[in-house]
Amino acid sequence: MRKMLTIISNVLRGSASRNGAELVSESSTLRAVLQLLAVQSEYANLTAPHDHDPDPPKRLKDKQPHSPSVSIPLTQIPLNAPVEYKALGHTSSGQSSGDSGPRNRPLTDVVSSEAIAQGESYVEPVMTSGSSTSEKLSMFTLVTERENPTFEKIISPIIDVPPSPALITVKSPIINPSPSPAQLTPAVANSSFTLTSTDPLASSCPPPAGSLLGLDNSFPEITHSQAEETPLPEPQLAGARVVVSARTYADFTPQATFDIKKCDLHKLEEGPPLQAVLTREEGLQYYRTMQTIRRMELKADQLYKQKIIRGFCHLYDGQEACAVGIETGINLSDHLITAYRAHGYTLTRGGTVREIMAELTGRRGGIAKGKGGSMHMYTKHFYGGNGIVGAQVPLGAGVALACKYLGNNEICVCLYGDGAANQGQIFETYNMASLWKLPCIFICENNKYGMGTSVERAAASTDYYKRGDFIPGLRLDGMDVLCVREATKFAAEHCRSGKGPILMELQTYRYHGHSMSDPGVSYRTREEIQEVRSKSDPISMLKDRMLSNNMASVEELKEIDVEVRKEIEDAAQFATTDPEPPLDDLCNHIFYNDPPMEVRGTNPWTKLKSVS
């Protein structure tokens, strides 16, 4: 009874330590059942009356072979009895019809669930040490102690131990055939994995090239080690080598089609499509980028509160779908300019997390050499990061004018917020862009609040996509990355076709306040923020779509989260240890590609040098 209670306790603790039943393989339950059966058999043999046998314990040491017609107790199976192979193409000598070489090995106790369901087991010894084959088994065999002839009922657990001379291999019949290489995508066909389970999912997984799955790849092998006469070890913690269900990229859906919300249109006969196709690779990339922006902004919040980041700092968390969706809807050669909430666009336009974080802390390794800070970051074809409200809109129209003048089929995306939408310079820009048919996409990121004022209190008309009047416009869900992507593609095609500018309104939401000096809860409630997080979060929306359509696994997305967090931590460490720019660099990079020049300092007698 003590053994039975110990086994049950160990199994329950093992289930809890693996964080959920989905990570506990079928073999774990199977081993527990076999152990309970073995202990029960021993208990019955020791306690049952034996009128015909005056010395029952001696039966446990009986080494004589038994008749195949008699049911053999589990405790009486001899280790070196001859085995007769009659199934799965094996000859009576215990050798595969398609294999050669010695086949003598001690046998194992662990059998696949498929074999038990069929009432038989298929055991293949793999060692070259000399030993006689054993008798045909009726159900399954048990691991025995190599030196003690008494057969113990201890099932071999899967633990990390050095390989012993008594490694044994079990082959379980496959119910479902493996997919052929022609059915797999190139990414799937080239993937590799390690099979460590008897889970039925493993039967549909193709073996990797060069794997030790034997001559017949339809029989995945599971290698175990013999156990000595010791109690079962404590269950392994998560992260240790445990038995999990084998799963490959072949199990995932390569692409799926999703319904997206219909856009509100202004002066357009038709709008973007109502469905979007997402591939698995695109989904994982979108998820990684949005998660990187989210974690980067949260780390910036932390460093700001530690007074490592100083000055203005406007965070972008909550609006990640806007930056990622716009970037995936245009080309890298296209141009983009935005306001001071620019961290996300700096990343999508080609900046690195290290450069952005170092710029926030004013270090030499920053993307603007530590002289721009939060509001002034630049990359190729990305013009900031502008601190004056609405001032970037005329500049974006100028970039679009250059694109049309050069005839390079490029466009400019010009972004501003709902707080800047009432600026007079924006309406002037609308007028010129429409007159000259400039290839410019004007995008209003409506996050519901201009600083601390709601849009209803700041604008008589909140239909920002109609503000262009004579310029076509559309309004869409800015929390859905696929909706933003499809609308941006539609707008980009409109501009490239020579129809002139177009206006987009992205309805989005920021989780932080206007800047780090704004707590963000004096003009809105915490319940409002939490409701948006729970119902419309862009990262959660994409994650749910991928999981519900079998385009990724929870474990895979968690791995991305871990990698992103490590990247952010490394960048933060760099941003706090990188040196500040020296004083000699103060006037550098005033002009692009110009010869060195002198710059007046704080008085006429102070001269500084500027190098491009």
Side-chain angles (χ1 to χ4, degrees):
M1 291 300 295
R2 177 175 298 177
K3 286 185 177 181
M4 296 173 68
L5 292 176
T6 300
I7 293 170
I8 295 173
S9 176
N10 284 337
V11 170
L12 292 177
R13 288 200 303 269
S15 300
S17 67
R18 288 167 174 83
N19 193 22
E22 67 276 7
L23 295 181
V24 181
S25 74
E26 186 178 348
S27 61
S28 301
T29 306
L30 175 59
R31 287 200 304 274
V33 173
L34 294 179
Q35 294 173 35
L36 290 174
L37 290 175
V39 174
Q40 183 181 14
S41 176
E42 179 190 22
Y43 183 78
N45 290 334
L46 293 177
T47 58
H50 299 279
D51 297 336
H52 57 282
D53 191 347
D55 189 9
K58 290 184 179 180
R59 299 176 67 225
L60 298 176
K61 301 182 180 181
D62 186 9
K63 300 182 180 180
Q64 298 301 324
H66 295 263
S67 172
S69 60
V70 180
S71 177
I72 305 174
L74 297 179
T75 59
Q76 301 181 23
I77 299 177
L79 178 64
N80 297 322
V83 172
E84 181 180 359
Y85 295 89
K86 291 186 178 181
L88 304 176
H90 285 264
T91 62
S92 59
S93 61
Q95 202 165 342
S96 173
S97 59
D99 197 8
S100 60
R103 292 282 185 170
N104 298 324
R105 278 291 186 283
L107 302 180
T108 185
D109 59 308
V110 183
V111 195
S112 69
S113 59
E114 293 89 344
I116 288 183
Q118 297 175 6
E120 63 178 7
S121 67
Y122 171 67
V123 183
E124 181 185 3
V126 295
M127 288 201 52
T128 58
S129 59
S131 64
S132 61
T133 57
S134 62
E135 185 181 31
K136 179 173 69 175
L137 307 180
S138 61
M139 186 65 178
F140 39 69
T141 58
L142 295 176
V143 171
T144 64
E145 186 177 7
R146 284 170 289 188
E147 298 178 357
N148 193 337
T150 302
F151 296 95
E152 301 293 340
K153 279 67 61 181
I154 300 176
I155 307 299
S156 172
I158 299 182
I159 54 176
D160 285 325
V161 295
S164 67
L167 284 178
I168 37 93
T169 301
V170 175
K171 279 191 173 185
S172 58
I174 298 302
I175 299 176
N176 299 322
S178 300
S180 63
Q183 298 173 329
L184 306 178
T185 62
V188 174
N190 295 330
S191 63
S192 61
F193 68 101
T194 302
L195 185 62
T196 58
S197 173
T198 58
D199 192 285
L201 286 176
S203 62
S204 62
C205 299
S211 64
L212 301 176
L213 295 187
L215 297 176
D216 186 358
N217 286 338
S218 64
F219 295 92
E221 294 185 354
I222 308 148
T223 303
H224 303 271
S225 60
Q226 278 193 337
E228 300 296 337
E229 189 176 355
T230 56
L232 289 173
E234 289 296 321
Q236 297 176 346
L237 298 176
R241 180 175 169 269
V242 297
V243 181
V244 296
S245 298
R247 194 176 188 189
T248 67
Y249 292 126
D251 298 323
F252 296 121
T253 304
Q255 72 176 31
T257 302
F258 299 96
D259 295 329
I260 56 178
K261 293 181 180 179
K262 183 179 179 180
C263 298
D264 297 325
L265 306 179
H266 172 66
K267 290 190 178 297
L268 289 170
E269 295 182 359
E270 60 180 13
L274 300 180
Q275 289 186 329
V277 177
L278 178 70
T279 66
R280 168 179 154 81
E281 291 74 18
E282 290 173 342
L284 293 177
Q285 183 59 46
Y286 299 169
Y287 180 83
R288 179 183 292 273
T289 306
M290 289 197 293
Q291 195 69 270
T292 301
I293 296 174
R294 175 72 57 85
R295 293 294 169 185
M296 180 176 66
E297 299 295 65
L298 294 180
K299 176 57 69 172
D301 171 89
Q302 178 183 350
L303 295 178
Y304 195 95
K305 291 175 179 177
Q306 295 174 356
K307 297 185 179 181
I308 298 176
I309 297 176
R310 312 300 287 266
F312 294 104
C313 186
H314 305 80
L315 301 183
Y316 199 68
D317 53 319
Q319 302 181 208
E320 296 88 356
C322 297
V324 176
I326 291 173
E327 185 61 40
T328 55
I330 60 176
N331 303 325
L332 286 175
S333 59
D334 292 326
H335 310 268
L336 191 144
I337 187 170
T338 187
Y340 37 76
R341 205 178 301 277
H343 304 165
Y345 291 101
T346 307
L347 181 70
T348 59
R349 289 267 84 187
T352 65
V353 179
R354 285 167 63 97
E355 292 174 332
I356 296 172
M357 297 300 295
E359 189 61 38
L360 291 174
T361 58
R363 305 306 172 108
R364 189 168 57 185
I367 200 165
K369 311 300 181 184
K371 296 181 290 185
S374 172
M375 298 191 295
H376 303 286
M377 300 183 183
Y378 312 93
T379 64
K380 189 175 182 180
H381 301 310
F382 175 60
Y383 308 95
N386 293 267
I388 305 301
V389 176
Q392 72 277 6
V393 179
L395 297 178
V399 175
L401 176 61
C403 294
K404 183 175 183 179
Y405 183 82
L406 296 174
N408 52 21
N409 199 34
E410 296 173 357
I411 64 173
C412 180
V413 177
C414 182
L415 296 115
Y416 57 95
D418 55 273
N422 298 320
Q423 290 255 328
Q425 57 185 332
I426 293 181
F427 291 94
E428 295 179 47
T429 305
Y430 287 164
N431 184 59
M432 289 186 289
S434 181
L435 285 174
W436 297 339
K437 301 294 182 184
L438 300 183
C440 185
I441 305 176
F442 297 104
I443 299 182
C444 175
E445 290 183 285
N446 180 9
N447 56 24
K448 312 300 183 186
Y449 296 93
M451 296 190 69
T453 306
S454 65
V455 294
E456 291 81 10
R457 296 178 58 211
S461 172
T462 57
D463 294 332
Y464 296 104
Y465 70 108
K466 296 181 180 180
R467 289 288 189 93
D469 191 13
F470 35 78
I471 297 178
L474 55 138
R475 179 169 58 190
L476 56 131
D477 182 6
M479 305 296 278
D480 184 353
V481 65
L482 297 183
C483 190
V484 176
R485 184 191 70 178
E486 296 304 315
T488 305
K489 288 181 179 180
F490 175 85
E493 181 61 29
H494 176 92
C495 292
R496 296 186 207 277
S497 63
K499 298 179 181 179
I502 190 171
L503 202 155
M504 294 171 56
E505 177 188 345
L506 308 185
Q507 293 184 318
T508 182
Y509 199 84
R510 55 173 165 82
Y511 294 155
H512 270 82
H514 172 74
S515 67
M516 285 302 299
S517 61
D518 172 22
V521 292
S522 59
Y523 49 87
R524 57 182 182 176
T525 63
R526 297 183 185 274
E527 290 75 20
E528 176 184 323
I529 302 173
Q530 185 58 37
E531 182 180 6
V532 176
R533 282 181 177 271
S534 60
K535 295 182 179 180
S536 304
D537 184 76
I539 299 178
S540 299
M541 188 183 303
L542 177 64
K543 180 179 179 180
D544 293 342
R545 279 174 168 169
M546 296 188 68
L547 293 179
S548 61
N549 286 271
N550 194 33
M551 300 182 73
S553 64
V554 176
E555 294 78 10
E556 188 175 17
L557 297 181
K558 286 183 178 179
E559 289 179 3
I560 294 178
D561 295 343
V562 171
E563 294 171 1
V564 167
R565 293 189 183 191
K566 184 179 185 303
E567 181 184 9
I568 300 301
E569 291 299 328
D570 293 343
Q573 180 67 22
F574 172 76
T576 54
T577 57
D578 193 51
E580 295 181 355
L583 184 61
D584 295 340
D585 291 349
L586 179 63
C587 296
N588 289 345
H589 310 108
I590 294 178
F591 297 101
Y592 171 73
N593 202 23
D594 277 4
M597 58 179 292
E598 286 187 350
V599 178
R600 173 185 166 176
T602 57
N603 58 68
W605 302 275
T606 303
K607 299 294 183 181
L608 302 175
K609 189 175 182 179
S610 175
V611 180
S612 297

